[in-house]
Amino acid sequence: MIRWIFKVLCCYLLFDSIICAFDNSSLDKIILNCGSAEFVSFNGKYWSGDVDLKFIPAEYARRTVSMASTSMSDDVPNIPYSTARVFHFQFAYSFPMSPGFKFIRLHFYPTTYSGIGGSSRKVSFSVFSGQYRLLSNFNPSAMANTLKVTYFTKDFVVNSKEKVLNISFIPFPEAYGFVNGIEIYSFPSNFRNYSRKEAAFEMVHRVKVGRSNEVQSSLWDWSDDSSYILGSMSGSSIYTQEETQDPWTDMSDYSAPISLYAAAKTMGSDEAINMMYNLTWKFNVDPGFNYLVRLHFCEISYEVKQLNQRVFTVYINNQTVEKRLDVIALAGAPLVGAFRDYLVFVPKEKGERQELLLALHPNIESNPLFKNAILNGVEIMKLSDEHNNLAAEVLQIVGKRKIPIRLMIFGGLGGISMLCLILGTWLKLNSIHSIVPKLQFKSSTMPMESLSLSGLCCEFKLADIKAATTNFTEAMVIGVGGFGKVYKGSIFINGGATEVAIKRKHLQSNQGIHEFQTEINLLSTFRHTNLVSLHGFCREKEELILVYDYMSHGTLRDNLLLKNSPLTWIQRLKICIGAARGLHYLHTGTKHPIIHRDIKSTNILLDSELVAKVSDFGLSRIGPTTASTSHVKTEVKGTFGYLDPVYYRNRTLSKKSDVYSFGVVLFEVLCARPAVHPAPMEEANDGFISLAEWALRCHKSGDVDSIVDPFLAGKIAPQSLVIFIEIAVKCLAEKRTQRPTMGVVLHNLELALYLQEQEVEDITNQ
């Protein structure tokens, strides 16, 4: 299994701390039309031909030829793509330039060139610049087919230490290589690099959000976000004609342009629908590298003018990186641009390309009256590894064949001049947060006092667990489940004592290492307001221990049985809504659907504010991974009284199995009765009756009032009760096709809450 490290950089940066002034007239700049002898102006740039220039050292002069394209497509610009520098042996350009950071753009147009035997000749080469490997085993035709483009560029930033910048091309044996154009731009000499001095970068994605027209930038191109949106819910584009302000100072050539902040994408105007999905983008990236993800924000909606009005949560790769993002608080005012940076490590998994997911969801804890999110732009930059390598081994699909090459995506520079400062700020603040979604069991040698555990799945020492629970004294037990006993404890986290819930496996438990590892892998992979947070684990000697956030109000089941302080109907509805949101996220908000498989009232925990959090993922399974399949075959596991009858009979598990179990929970909430309870003598078989069967029977006979908790009698708005019972009954439908999705369940519960609150408000105003 591979360890993922997710490092969140929350940077409140003032640009003047870069301590550098720009003088564009003094910057080194080379714009080369390879294979040409002409000097031409095209697209606002002056292109120099490389034939008569002294950029090719004498030892390489005979190893290359300039050639013209033989079949130019109509949509391909003549400059620089009508000619190319073609090489069959190692070849290099040498550009006299001052030392420092250089931006390098390579242009490629894969086509047939004069004097070369077309497709019978293999194209495969590597590219180096000084100590940096930029490309390896590179095939421009395969790249173009994968990207579905005719021509493309590859953009890099390197730190040159010499007065000459070399760019070397090395073809593979019996193969050749080519390049159509080269652009090089220098950063100012007084630019300060606070990060690893040898770091190089590649821009892999630069995306404008909410607009299809061109974003005006003097050097770099921005792609439309339509090809990156994941799912059918693509949000709503908004624009402003008012003047916006950007967060940069004299950086127009190297940063996000001001026009980017004049458009954005929100979730839409239907807030009920907004709560049912995450606004999500998917980006393909190479595994094995760190990426800096920069998100651009500007509050341009006319109806959002105040702090805490639009507040939303940001997830990257299913990790919560911002729980309560308020753009106005970040930028200081409406119509002012701002950005946030996050450093993400993407692991290698089977040599395949990985997906980086960005998702937004309203945070109604901060403002329950405004359910929306906003984004203006995204930049994703790849950082070179410790071997100064930016090339990654991946599979590229060409037709029906898979060709292994080292692949990187084209783009623009995009704020690279800020990147080093950001990384330096990160190092200074030591604000690294690590996540371990794919578990590797290793002995922990780091002292507990030195660990920063915010958002971290950490391996605790058994001695610390024993100290937290007073050696597992019975006085600390707060619950017992199928895995074992749960203890309340206090552990030193983030510089202070933190109350936690410690779940210890009982030696006689039917659950074991598989459930233990499943729990850790899942809870370390995603974060959500309505899913319980896992601090870490302990696997020492024979012990299997999990450490969670402490939920001060315990389980939903315990709260339903309280007689001295029973939950109100509004409280119960909000708890159901929170649990439904957590389940809806599991079913639709992750890369593959997660089926919980053990939804019950004891696995819904309540924090100090009675916010519901779904817990206990030891039995969870990844759901169907293809659209043509609705279920997975597996042995039956779960809790009697909550089991989907179809799953029990046929051993087929689906998301609708969770829906059935949740329907039982809904009737528990309404009736304040357990899922199985003593049956009347005249109905006694084994002495117990299923709550689901009893509730459905009462509903069918029209005797609904008999199942409502006596405490709630006369306190539920009639329409709220009707909506609630109807959705609960649908959850328990015999046929899965007749059961609703969790999104529909969530919508109906929110409607029931709205109707109840309206009733209360009307009574109050009378």
Side-chain angles (χ1 to χ4, degrees):
M1 307 295 281
I2 299 175
R3 183 180 180 89
W4 287 45
I5 300 180
F6 194 100
K7 296 165 263 189
V8 182
L9 309 182
C10 298
C11 304
Y12 298 90
L13 301 179
L14 294 176
F15 184 77
D16 56 11
S17 60
I18 271 186
I19 319 174
C20 86
F22 280 78
D23 180 5
N24 289 330
S25 64
S26 66
L27 300 184
D28 294 328
K29 179 169 61 177
I30 291 175
I31 304 178
L32 206 60
N33 186 12
C34 300
S36 172
E38 299 179 353
F39 179 87
V40 297
S41 174
F42 179 76
N43 201 24
K45 300 177 182 178
Y46 293 96
W47 295 80
S48 301
D50 69 344
V51 171
D52 297 324
L53 298 180
K54 305 300 181 181
F55 295 145
I56 304 176
E59 62 267 30
Y60 294 122
R62 299 178 181 179
R63 297 185 178 184
T64 179
V65 293
S66 58
M67 292 187 175
S69 304
T70 60
S71 57
M72 287 286 292
S73 299
D74 293 338
D75 61 339
V76 178
N78 285 330
I79 308 297
Y81 299 111
S82 60
T83 60
R85 177 66 55 181
V86 180
F87 39 87
H88 298 269
F89 306 97
Q90 181 174 343
F91 167 75
Y93 286 101
S94 291
F95 301 104
M97 303 188 79
S98 59
F101 281 92
K102 311 296 176 185
F103 171 76
I104 301 173
R105 169 172 288 170
L106 305 178
H107 292 259
F108 297 102
Y109 171 43
T111 186
T112 303
Y113 291 93
S114 56
I116 294 182
S119 59
S120 63
R121 296 300 304 273
K122 179 182 179 181
V123 180
S124 181
F125 58 96
S126 297
V127 181
F128 292 81
S129 179
Q131 61 187 321
Y132 306 110
R133 182 199 299 266
L134 307 182
L135 298 169
S136 182
N137 194 18
F138 183 62
N139 184 332
S141 295
M143 169 70 78
N145 285 336
T146 299
L147 300 176
K148 298 180 181 179
V149 296
T150 307
Y151 61 96
F152 59 90
T153 65
K154 304 287 292 178
D155 295 354
F156 310 92
V157 173
V158 302
N159 187 8
S160 175
K161 299 301 183 66
E162 309 296 334
K163 294 183 178 180
V164 175
L165 177 68
N166 293 313
I167 300 180
S168 302
F169 300 84
I170 305 176
F172 273 53
E174 299 183 0
Y176 74 95
F178 69 93
V179 62
N180 298 92
I182 299 175
E183 296 179 67
I184 304 173
Y185 302 90
S186 292
F187 286 103
S189 59
N190 58 346
F191 172 76
R192 295 186 181 182
N193 174 26
Y194 292 103
S195 70
R196 182 164 58 89
K197 293 183 179 179
E198 307 304 322
F201 318 102
E202 181 191 5
M203 172 60 70
V204 290
H205 296 289
R206 205 163 198 230
V207 179
K208 55 190 177 183
V209 175
R211 66 193 311 157
S212 58
N213 58 305
E214 182 179 356
V215 170
Q216 298 299 321
S217 180
S218 58
L219 293 178
W220 326 122
D221 300 322
W222 292 75
S223 302
D224 184 77
D225 77 324
S226 58
S227 60
Y228 300 96
I229 284 287
L230 181 63
S232 59
M233 306 300 289
S234 58
S236 176
S237 297
I238 60 173
Y239 310 90
T240 182
Q241 300 296 325
E242 299 185 54
E243 183 178 351
T244 59
Q245 302 177 39
D246 64 32
W248 315 93
T249 303
D250 296 331
M251 285 287 289
S252 58
D253 286 350
Y254 298 89
S255 65
I258 187 64
S259 56
L260 179 74
Y261 296 105
K265 182 161 286 185
T266 65
M267 300 185 72
S269 58
D270 191 325
E271 295 189 340
I273 293 178
N274 293 351
M275 293 306 303
M276 296 168 58
Y277 80 102
N278 288 346
L279 185 56
T280 305
W281 294 263
K282 179 179 69 174
F283 304 93
N284 289 328
V285 294
D286 294 328
F289 292 91
N290 283 297
Y291 290 84
L292 185 128
V293 180
R294 171 168 292 167
L295 306 182
H296 295 273
F297 301 101
C298 186
E299 191 53 80
I300 60 175
S301 300
Y302 69 89
E303 73 271 21
V304 180
K305 300 295 182 183
Q306 300 176 355
L307 292 172
N308 295 318
Q309 189 173 351
R310 189 202 305 268
V311 185
F312 53 95
T313 301
V314 180
Y315 307 95
I316 298 180
N317 276 351
N318 297 321
Q319 311 296 322
T320 302
V321 298
E322 296 282 355
K323 187 174 183 180
R324 298 179 179 87
L325 182 61
D326 183 339
V327 175
I328 292 181
L330 178 65
L335 301 176
V336 177
F339 62 90
R340 295 282 258 181
D341 291 320
Y342 312 92
L343 192 63
V344 184
F345 177 72
V346 178
K348 293 182 179 179
E349 290 188 356
K350 302 179 182 179
E352 298 177 354
R353 299 213 74 195
Q354 301 295 308
E355 294 174 350
L356 192 151
L357 296 176
L358 166 65
L360 310 178
H361 188 77
N363 185 312
I364 63 168
E365 293 179 7
S366 300
N367 185 354
L369 302 179
F370 199 93
K371 304 170 183 177
N372 215 316
I374 190 171
L375 181 68
N376 300 74
V378 182
E379 295 176 87
I380 301 178
M381 307 165 225
K382 183 202 295 184
L383 281 65
S384 62
D385 62 20
E386 64 273 17
H387 304 297
N388 299 316
N389 180 38
L390 275 166
E393 186 76 26
V394 299
L395 292 177
Q396 224 179 358
I397 298 176
V398 183
K400 294 186 178 180
R401 293 190 305 124
K402 290 186 177 180
I403 301 179
I405 70 168
R406 300 180 184 270
L407 175 64
M408 290 178 285
I409 297 297
F410 68 98
L413 175 60
I416 292 291
S417 55
M418 286 291 289
L419 180 56
C420 296
L421 173 67
I422 293 164
L423 294 177
T425 305
W426 158 55
L427 291 173
K428 287 183 177 181
L429 297 177
N430 194 29
S431 58
I432 301 177
H433 304 290
S434 301
I435 301 295
V436 189
K438 295 299 180 76
L439 178 64
Q440 286 184 325
F441 291 121
K442 294 183 179 179
S443 298
S444 176
T445 58
M446 186 180 296
M448 290 300 301
E449 293 76 17
S450 65
L451 291 178
S452 174
L453 301 178
S454 177
L456 168 69
C457 180
C458 171
E459 183 170 0
F460 291 93
K461 294 180 180 179
L462 182 58
D464 297 303
I465 300 295
K466 288 184 175 180
T469 60
T470 318
N471 200 21
F472 301 112
T473 179
E474 288 296 309
M476 306 294 284
V477 174
I478 56 175
V480 180
F483 188 81
K485 293 181 179 180
V486 182
Y487 300 80
K488 180 181 178 181
S490 181
I491 286 185
F492 192 84
I493 300 175
N494 281 340
T498 301
E499 286 189 330
V500 293
I502 298 172
K503 185 162 68 172
R504 182 192 189 193
K505 182 186 180 300
H506 192 278
L507 292 178
Q508 304 304 318
S509 172
N510 292 327
Q511 299 183 34
I513 186 65
H514 175 75
E515 290 80 9
F516 178 73
Q517 187 165 336
T518 298
E519 182 96 355
I520 297 172
N521 287 342
L522 288 178
L523 283 179
S524 298
T525 304
F526 46 68
R527 288 288 187 271
H528 190 276
T529 302
N530 299 111
L531 301 181
V532 71
S533 296
L534 179 70
H535 282 300
F537 64 93
C538 174
R539 184 177 187 262
E540 192 172 327
K541 298 180 180 178
E542 299 299 321
E543 298 283 357
L544 296 179
I545 298 170
L546 297 165
V547 181
Y548 305 90
D549 271 343
Y550 173 63
M551 300 287 105
S552 59
H553 275 278
T555 70
L556 172 58
R557 169 72 176 277
D558 292 340
N559 283 268
L560 290 173
L561 299 180
L562 287 176
K563 300 302 180 184
N564 57 339
S565 180
L567 296 170
T568 67
W569 183 236
I570 286 181
Q571 288 175 323
R572 299 187 200 201
L573 286 174
K574 288 182 177 180
I575 290 168
C576 291
I577 288 170
R581 285 182 185 141
L583 271 177
H584 180 56
Y585 170 76
L586 292 176
H587 290 178
T588 63
T590 58
K591 180 179 179 181
H592 298 300
I594 304 296
I595 303 172
H596 188 280
R597 200 158 55 150
D598 198 18
I599 291 298
K600 54 186 178 182
S601 57
T602 54
N603 283 341
I604 297 173
L605 306 181
L606 307 178
D607 68 8
S608 59
E609 302 296 326
L610 290 180
V611 174
K613 297 179 184 291
V614 178
S615 69
D616 202 343
F617 294 82
L619 300 182
S620 297
R621 281 288 306 267
I622 293 178
T625 56
T626 62
S628 60
T629 306
S630 62
H631 62 267
V632 292
K633 272 278 190 180
T634 181
E635 61 181 316
V636 175
K637 289 189 176 182
T639 302
F640 177 69
Y642 297 90
L643 281 175
D644 170 15
V646 180
Y647 172 39
Y648 182 78
R649 290 193 304 265
N650 303 334
R651 307 298 194 265
T652 56
L653 180 70
S654 85
K655 291 183 288 186
K656 295 297 181 71
S657 301
D658 280 350
V659 172
Y660 182 92
S661 301
F662 192 69
V664 178
V665 172
L666 292 180
F667 275 116
E668 278 190 88
V669 168
L670 178 64
C671 308
R673 292 173 178 260
V676 290
H677 61 94
M681 289 300 297
E682 65 273 13
E683 300 178 11
N685 292 315
D686 57 359
F688 291 90
I689 188 171
S690 161
L691 173 63
E693 293 178 4
W694 179 63
L696 289 176
R697 189 184 314 128
C698 292
H699 175 263
K700 186 175 182 180
S701 65
D703 188 19
V704 172
D705 291 338
S706 65
I707 68 174
V708 177
D709 180 0
F711 171 77
L712 298 176
K715 300 177 183 177
I716 304 179
Q719 286 302 312
S720 177
L721 181 61
V722 168
I723 294 295
F724 185 90
I725 291 180
E726 284 183 353
I727 196 62
V729 169
K730 289 179 181 178
C731 288
L732 299 179
E734 179 65 24
K735 294 182 179 180
R736 286 176 174 170
T737 55
Q738 295 175 350
R739 298 176 198 165
T741 64
M742 283 309 303
V744 173
V745 175
L746 176 59
H747 175 73
N748 279 270
L749 291 174
E750 289 180 327
L751 177 58
L753 175 62
Y754 172 78
L755 293 171
Q756 181 68 23
E757 290 178 331
Q758 286 294 110
E759 174 95 352
V760 173
E761 184 178 346
D762 291 344
I763 293 174
T764 303
N765 293 334
Q766 288 179 359

